[in-house]
């Protein structure tokens, strides 16, 4: 905690000096008085630098730049989690716990929206507050979706699964994580200066004329983007360079492939989001006119740049979820992953196509008519590589013998069913004739919740249960786990299936009030949403309880073949006493004579 | 797996697909008040029919896999499987690509043509969006109005713009929308077919569909689709009662 306090103090000092301090200096020198928004914006980089230095970047890293001796932080036990610790397992857990916490917080906001939406008319929150809550829920959940599987599970598992002692750039890794708390603080702090009301998409002109909270939103998202880019580069280099001897590309566990694919996207495209938002900031603060129509700017330009990142972003969210689902399905079906190479081809096909589809979000934007057809074509085409992922999952299920534990329920039943609905309804959104109606309605709300919540969040739960014994050294409660699955699965579908009907029937999105004729279905959805919230809370609580009190788990309770299960749980620092020797495919179930790896010291190879 | 299982699975797939295709006939749409709405609803149904076998396939495999599960207890013995047959993924790839190609053609490109292909119009209407209300102008007769009155059976060209932020012109019964963008005149072509008003059904309302701030959800206007004669009469009345300089 000492470092956290120091970070906060240095951050505050940095802000005071760089923001109000600089403003006062400028004023004293006869310059103009700064608006609050400008003070906040200029002060922020100083605050960020102060925070990062204080949290430990100065001791563990930056001292070296000035020829001083670096002092890596060593804190015992749980205190490591509050320091600039470079162990990928600590960072993985930092990500997981932080983003599961944010997930619950933003989930509470969703329930607040569902209270307002339970009845037509205004009941609990006013229109302005509703838009703020909706926007905060949206952007926090987007951040959760980008980081919880990739940053959390990716960091924890990738080095273990490829037989590496750590990530390629451990200090950059710690930096990626410690950039996250300022993001959360900015988004929450923005509510004190008027908040932001544009949804997570921040379309101008609205985002150029609303209160100062929007500027903090922009700084938050740009900071988060920096963290994403650094994380992406780190994964790509780690997977390319640090694989254990014998771990060829064709022997990588499928989850590692999915992280690789998602990381390619995150470090290639995140900068476009930053560019779009920084242009908004410049328009707001120094009178530029990128999107200002009265001065020859064009609002549509923003949408093109924004979606050039934000469509690939949905694959940054879903690719690691595909990886989790296939990984869990293969181990639970006790058979090699079916059509492994085709699944990898599917991932890479998605990576290749994802930069070519962005304007399917803009069929009704008023963009040039001639752009409709090409973007319809590329978008529908992306269903082909996605189909390969399904081929792999279905073939594995078909040939295997299911060991039906909780992780398998989440990955095999929950993920496949939900993502099937999410994926198929995506085809309706990609078809111009249907999308002109469906765009910006609850049909779309339901579609993207089916992919992100039904898909990624269900995969997250599959992963939390599957790797729980690895992460904590303890076992979760199996019966409770299965109960939670069925509860969440049914409540989830009861909440989101009716939303397709609502959208079709004229309920547009981002509204707190709707025609009275839609009241009954909305009430049903709100009740189901509360059941869903209760189920999620119960599941997280029971996992938390098992983390503290659960039975000790065996080192390899699933008798799984991949490398992370061949070391003690939780794994020691630097993972392996010596590099393991990889000698075969990752899932050699029922293949006598084949094995994945030979461990250097004592310990099984299964 | 035993042969009978395969036949059962095939049977389940056929039944589920047929059920899905049949379900596409259910009328779960709000009233369709324009030719464009008929096109959109037909495209929706076609997509449902095409999606049904895909949906059924995944559900069938899930059901079979669950029915053959090996319990919750200790790990079951590993499944012993033969080598993968290389023709299966190739066939899968070919079939999904063919399906995607068909969807691209129909309702994809065909749908675009049917929805947006015909630029001819009989009546022109101008719509100006301002936070948070709509102004409708009939340039041919100089009439201004706060409600959207349209003649049934005529092709209407709606020209839309915004005076401040983005808005979106959407009448759910017409199944099509376009954004109101400051500095740009966007166009929506519709042919209303049925005489109806906002009192008939809430799908006949002009609703802003692009987040535009505090008043977004209630940024609505009444829509009345009337027959041609009533439309002309209404225009004349409006012209007579309009005081100069005021809408
Ligand atoms: C209990 C579960 C949840 C419920 C009941 C819920 C409900 C809602 C509601 C009512 C909206 C406003 C819709 C609108 O008018 O546009 C919304 C928006 C949104 N939600 Fe959720 N949500 C849930 C979970 C999640 C999760 C887990 C994620 C992502 C991981 C997520 C991502 C989003 C996004 C990105 C938006 C769009 C916000 C925007 O338009 O800017 N939601 N959600
Ligand atoms: Cu997209
Ligand atoms: Cu609006």
């Amino acid at each position: 905690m000492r470092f956290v306090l120091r970070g906060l103090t240095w951050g505050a000092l940095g802000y005071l000096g760089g923001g109000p301090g600089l403003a006062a200096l400028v004023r004293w020198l006869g310059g103009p008085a700064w608006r609050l928004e400008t003070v906040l914006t200029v002060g922020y980089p100083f605050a960020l630098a102060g925070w990062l230095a204080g949290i430990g970047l100065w001791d563990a890293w930056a001292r070296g730049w000035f020829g001083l001796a670096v002092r890596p932080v060593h804190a015992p036990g749980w205190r490591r989690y509050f320091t600039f610790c470079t162990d990928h397992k600590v960072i993985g857990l930092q990500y997981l716990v932080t983003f599961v916490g944010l997930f619950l917080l933003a989930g509470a906001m969703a329930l607040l929206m569902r209270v307002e939406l339970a009845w037509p008319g205004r009941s609990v929150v006013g229109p302005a507050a509703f838009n703020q809550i909706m926007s905060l829920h949206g952007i926090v959940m987007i951040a959760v979706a980008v980081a919880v599987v990739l940053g959390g599970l990716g960091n924890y598992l990738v080095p273990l699964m490829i037989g590496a002692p750590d990530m390629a750039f451990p200090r950059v890794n710690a930096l990626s994580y410690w950039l996250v708390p300022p993001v959360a603080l900015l988004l929450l702090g923005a509510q004190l200066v008027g908040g932001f009301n544009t949804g997570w998409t921040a379309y101008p002109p609205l985002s150029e004329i609303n209160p100062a909270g929007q500027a903090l939103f922009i700084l938050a998202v740009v900071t988060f983007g920096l963290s994403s880019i650094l994380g992406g580069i780190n994964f790509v280099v780690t997977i390319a360079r640090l694989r254990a001897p014998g771990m060829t590309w064709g022997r990588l566990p499928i989850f590692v492939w999915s992280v690789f694919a998602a990381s390619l996207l995150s470090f290639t495209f995140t900068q476009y989001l930053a560019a779009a938002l920084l242009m908004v900031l410049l328009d707001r603060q120094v009178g530029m006119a990128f999107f200002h129509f009265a001065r020859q700017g064009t609002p549509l330009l923003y949408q093109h740049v924004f979606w050039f990142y934000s469509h690939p972003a949905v694959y940054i969210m879903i690719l690691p979820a595909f990886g989790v689902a296939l990984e869990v399905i293969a181990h639970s079906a006790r058979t090699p992953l079916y059509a492994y190479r085709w699944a990898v081809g599917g991932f890479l096909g998605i990576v290749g196509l994802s930069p070519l589809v962005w304007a399917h979000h803009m069929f009704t934007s008023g963009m040039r008519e001639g752009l409709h057809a090409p973007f319809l074509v590329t978008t529908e085409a992306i269903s082909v590589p996605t189909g390969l992922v399904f081929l792999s999952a279905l073939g594995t299920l078909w040939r295997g013998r299911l060991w039906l534990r909780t992780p398998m329920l989440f990955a095999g039943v929950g993920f496949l069913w939900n993502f099937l609905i999410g994926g198929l309804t995506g085809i309706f959104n990609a078809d111009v004739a249907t999308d002109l109606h469906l765009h910006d309605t609850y049909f779309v709300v339901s579609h993207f919740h089916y992919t992100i919540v039904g898909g990624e969040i269900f995969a997250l739960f599959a992963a939390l249960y599957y790797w729980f014994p690895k992460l904590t050294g303890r076992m979760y409660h199996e019966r409770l786990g299965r109960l939670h699955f069925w509860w969440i699965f049914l409540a989830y579908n009861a909440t989101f299936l009716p939303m397709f009907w609502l959208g079709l029937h004229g309920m547009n999105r981002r509204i707190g009030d709707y025609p009275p004729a839609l009241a009954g279905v909305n009430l049903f959805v709100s009740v189901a949403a509360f059941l869903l919230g209760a189920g999620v809370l119960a599941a997280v609580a029971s996992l938390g309880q098992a983390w503290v009190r659960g039975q000790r788990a065996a080192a390899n309770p699933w008798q799984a073949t991949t490398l992370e299960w061949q070391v003690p749980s939780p794994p020691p620092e630097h993972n392996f006493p010596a590099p393991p020797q990889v000698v075969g495919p990752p899932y050699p179930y029922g293949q006598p004579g084949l094995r994945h790896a030979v461990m250097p010291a004592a310990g099984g190879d299964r | 797996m035993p042969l009978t299982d395969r036949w059962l699975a095939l049977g389940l797939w056929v039944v589920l697909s047929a059920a899905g295709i049949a379900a596409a006939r259910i009328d779960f749409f709000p009233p369709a008040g324009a030719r464009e709405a008929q096109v959109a609803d037909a495209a929706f149904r076609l997509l449902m029919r095409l999606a049904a076998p895909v949906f059924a396939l995944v559900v069938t495999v899930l059901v079979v896999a669950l029915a053959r599960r090996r319990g919750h207890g200790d790990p079951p013995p590993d499944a012993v499987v033969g080598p993968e047959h290389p023709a299966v993924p190739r066939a899968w790839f070919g079939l999904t690509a063919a399906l995607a190609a068909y969807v691209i053609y129909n309702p994809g490109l065909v749908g675009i043509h049917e929805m947006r292909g015909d630029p001819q119009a009989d009546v022109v209407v101008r719509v100006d969006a301002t936070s948070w209300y709509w102004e409708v102008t009939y340039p041919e007769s100089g009439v201004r109005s706060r409600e959207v009155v349209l003649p049934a059976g005529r092709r209407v060209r709606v020209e839309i713009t915004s005076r401040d932020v983005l808005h979106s012109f959407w009448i759910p019964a017409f199944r099509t929308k376009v954004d109101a963008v400051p500095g740009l005149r966007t166009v929506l072509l519709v042919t209303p077919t049925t005489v109806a008003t906002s009192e008939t059904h809430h799908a006949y309302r002009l609703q802003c569909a692009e987040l535009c701030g505090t008043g977004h959800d209630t940024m609505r206007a009444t829509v009345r689709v009337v027959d041609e004669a009533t439309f002309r009469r209404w225009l004349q009345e409006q012209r007579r009662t309009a005081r100069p300089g005021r809408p």
Side-chain angles (χ1 to χ4, degrees):
Chain A
M1 293 317 265
R2 190 163 66 84
F3 289 99
V4 174
L5 287 180
R6 196 179 74 177
L8 288 173
T9 317
W10 291 12
L13 292 176
Y15 172 72
L16 289 177
L22 212 56
L25 183 67
V26 169
R27 194 88 185 91
W28 183 69
L29 292 175
W34 289 357
R35 286 180 302 142
L36 173 64
E37 184 176 329
T38 314
V39 177
L40 288 166
T41 309
V42 175
Y44 174 66
F46 296 93
L48 184 64
W51 156 257
L52 289 174
I55 190 69
L57 192 124
W58 168 250
D59 308 78
W61 195 353
R63 283 174 60 95
W65 305 341
F66 302 98
L68 305 170
V70 290
R71 295 187 294 218
V73 279
H74 285 295
W78 60 269
R79 289 202 188 82
R80 275 179 307 164
Y81 292 94
F82 297 93
T83 63
F84 196 82
C85 176
T86 55
D87 182 340
H88 70 99
K89 297 181 290 296
V90 171
I91 295 171
L93 282 177
Q94 286 172 327
Y95 264 104
L96 264 185
V97 172
T98 307
F99 281 101
V100 169
L102 289 173
F103 170 72
L104 295 178
L105 183 75
M109 291 182 251
L111 293 183
L112 186 54
M113 283 191 281
R114 280 319 316 179
V115 173
E116 174 60 53
L117 289 167
W119 302 275
R122 291 288 168 183
S123 30
V124 283
V125 287
F130 184 92
N131 287 350
Q132 257 169 268
I133 296 166
M134 180 275 294
S135 304
L136 188 58
H137 164 82
I139 190 64
V140 173
M141 285 299 195
I142 289 286
V144 169
V146 167
V148 71
V149 176
L150 192 59
L153 296 159
N155 265 313
Y156 200 101
L157 294 168
V158 164
L160 284 166
M161 289 175 119
I162 64 173
D166 205 321
M167 296 284 282
F169 309 116
R171 289 181 300 200
V172 175
N173 204 16
L175 173 60
S176 304
Y177 172 74
W178 286 109
L179 283 169
V180 170
V183 177
L185 277 182
L186 280 176
L187 290 176
L188 296 176
Q191 309 307 315
L192 302 177
V193 286
F196 45 91
N197 62 349
T198 56
W200 81 280
T201 48
Y203 280 3
L206 186 58
S207 62
E208 300 195 336
I209 60 173
N210 56 0
Q214 190 73 40
L216 297 195
F217 168 98
I218 292 171
L219 297 173
V221 175
V222 170
T223 308
F224 185 65
L226 180 59
S227 157
S228 268
I229 294 173
L230 295 176
I233 294 175
N234 217 339
F235 279 123
V236 169
V237 176
T238 303
I239 297 168
R241 306 293 301 164
L242 297 191
R243 283 167 289 134
M247 181 65 91
T248 58
W249 289 96
R251 287 173 180 165
L252 281 179
I254 198 73
F255 176 67
V256 177
W257 263 115
S258 72
V259 168
F260 184 75
S263 302
L264 284 179
L265 290 176
S266 83
F267 94 80
T268 323
F269 290 101
T270 310
Q271 39 276 42
Y272 293 94
L273 177 64
L277 289 175
L278 288 176
M279 286 194 269
V280 172
L281 201 64
L282 289 174
D283 275 7
R284 285 178 73 100
Q285 294 189 1
V286 293
M288 297 256 187
F290 292 108
F291 310 127
H292 203 290
F293 70 98
R295 284 182 275 145
Q296 272 71 51
T298 154
L300 281 190
L301 173 65
Y302 174 87
Q303 298 179 30
H304 284 290
V305 185
F306 175 85
W307 288 112
F308 192 65
Y309 161 76
S310 292
H311 188 83
V314 307
Y315 292 107
I316 299 175
M317 302 168 193
I318 205 62
L319 279 166
F322 285 161
V324 166
L326 293 181
E327 188 78 30
V328 171
I329 288 174
H331 291 298
S332 310
R334 317 304 294 172
T335 180
L337 184 69
Y338 183 73
Y340 172 95
R341 279 159 191 275
W342 290 84
V344 172
F347 292 171
L348 297 180
I350 288 174
V351 170
L353 279 175
S354 66
L356 303 175
V357 299
W358 77 90
H360 62 214
H361 296 275
M362 299 171 61
F363 288 144
T364 69
S365 67
M367 70 177 178
R368 281 179 47 175
E369 196 75 24
L371 291 177
H372 288 179
F375 283 98
L376 178 150
V377 172
T378 52
T379 306
E380 302 287 22
I382 229 171
S383 61
V384 178
T386 312
L388 293 176
V389 177
F390 267 90
L391 169 73
S392 180
L394 296 181
T396 313
L397 285 176
W398 182 261
R399 285 153 61 97
R401 296 157 174 253
L402 284 198
W403 184 15
L404 203 57
R405 302 286 293 257
T406 309
M408 180 59 198
L409 285 173
F410 274 101
V413 182
F415 177 87
L416 282 188
W417 168 270
N418 292 336
F419 194 78
L420 178 65
I421 296 179
L424 288 177
T425 50
I427 292 178
F428 292 68
N429 294 333
D431 184 69
V432 173
T434 40
D435 184 61
L436 295 180
H437 179 55
L438 302 175
H439 179 71
D440 264 332
T441 69
Y442 260 72
F443 192 95
V444 170
V445 173
S446 189
H447 155 75
F448 75 71
H449 280 89
Y450 260 96
T451 55
I452 303 182
V453 188
E456 188 190 353
I457 299 296
F458 272 67
L460 171 70
F461 271 107
L464 287 179
Y465 282 101
Y466 179 70
W467 280 293
F468 192 80
K470 179 53 51 189
L471 269 55
T472 65
R474 295 177 188 264
M475 203 59 191
Y476 64 86
H477 194 295
E478 180 63 32
R479 278 168 161 273
L480 278 181
R482 267 181 279 147
L483 173 74
H484 289 145
F485 167 74
W486 286 110
W487 180 357
I488 295 175
F489 180 69
L490 294 176
Y492 175 78
N493 279 279
T495 309
F496 287 93
L497 260 187
M499 287 187 192
F500 288 119
W501 185 91
L502 284 173
L504 210 52
H505 278 256
M507 178 154 165
N508 47 318
R509 69 187 278 209
R510 297 171 164 174
I511 54 172
D513 189 15
Y514 48 81
L518 302 173
V521 179
N522 267 306
L523 182 58
F524 180 89
V525 167
S526 288
V527 172
F530 269 85
L531 290 175
L532 175 58
V536 169
L537 209 54
V540 172
S542 98
L543 283 177
Q545 197 260 355
W547 194 345
V548 188
R549 295 254 155 74
Q551 291 193 341
R552 295 261 160 226
N556 187 359
W558 310 117
Q559 303 192 17
T561 49
T562 40
L563 284 174
E564 81 274 26
W565 294 107
Q566 317 312 325
V567 292
S569 303
E573 212 182 337
H574 304 308
N575 306 339
F576 303 92
Q581 184 74 37
V582 178
V583 294
Y587 315 107
Y589 296 104
Q591 310 271 297
L594 277 187
R595 57 205 302 198
H596 181 46
V598 185
M599 297 309 285
D605 59 291
R606 285 237 22 191
Chain B
M1 68 189 296
L3 209 56
T4 45
D5 281 19
R6 291 191 184 199
W7 284 110
L8 281 176
L10 184 65
L12 183 59
W13 177 67
V14 171
V15 170
L16 287 175
S17 304
I21 290 171
R25 304 170 69 96
I26 300 174
D27 185 18
F28 34 60
F29 302 102
R35 204 187 58 78
E36 285 67 24
Q38 291 156 10
V39 174
D41 291 356
F44 197 98
R45 286 180 205 276
L46 176 57
L47 286 176
M48 274 191 76
R49 287 199 293 275
L50 292 169
V54 180
F55 192 84
L57 180 70
V58 178
V59 173
T60 302
V61 175
L62 275 183
V63 169
V64 170
L66 287 180
R68 286 186 304 158
R69 69 174 185 274
R70 290 294 185 276
H72 309 291
D74 285 318
D78 292 353
V80 180
V81 296
E84 291 176 15
H85 206 305
V88 178
R90 284 187 207 147
W92 175 280
F93 185 79
L95 278 174
T96 50
L99 197 59
Y102 185 76
V103 169
I104 285 172
Y105 166 67
N106 186 22
L109 300 177
V110 172
I112 294 183
H113 183 73
E114 287 181 351
M115 289 296 271
R116 322 271 292 194
D118 176 8
Q120 301 302 321
D122 312 317
V123 183
V124 175
V125 181
R126 288 238 170 95
V127 174
D128 293 270
T130 313
S131 299
W132 293 284
Y133 59 91
W134 301 95
E135 269 176 49
V136 186
T137 319
Y138 296 80
E140 283 146 0
S141 48
V143 166
R144 290 160 158 236
S145 157
R146 283 294 169 86
E147 49 176 17
V148 187
V149 181
L150 298 174
R154 307 309 299 268
R155 193 151 173 80
V156 183
R157 177 187 169 86
V158 192
E159 300 180 351
I160 299 146
T161 194
S162 164
R163 298 212 182 93
D164 41 38
V165 298
L166 298 179
H167 303 273
S168 192
F169 178 98
W170 182 42
I171 297 172
F174 293 173
R175 310 284 195 280
T176 176
K177 66 173 76 68
V178 72
D179 286 2
V181 185
L184 215 64
R185 221 166 239 298
T186 55
V187 171
L188 198 74
L189 284 147
V190 281
T191 312
T193 47
T194 338
V195 172
T197 75
S198 297
E199 277 99 68
T200 329
H201 194 280
H202 66 85
Y204 288 92
R205 70 179 195 278
L206 167 53
Q207 168 77 55
C208 177
E210 180 65 64
L211 182 59
C212 56
T214 313
H216 168 55
D217 43 11
T218 45
M219 183 166 164
R220 298 178 190 149
T222 313
V223 175
R224 286 198 293 135
V225 182
V226 296
D227 60 48
E228 172 96 44
T230 318
F231 178 67
R232 296 281 159 224
R233 220 176 316 123
W234 177 79
L235 279 183
Q236 261 159 26
E237 255 164 48
Q238 293 299 306
R239 215 165 2 184
R240 219 171 329 116
T241 54
R243 277 164 291 160
R246 290 206 44 204

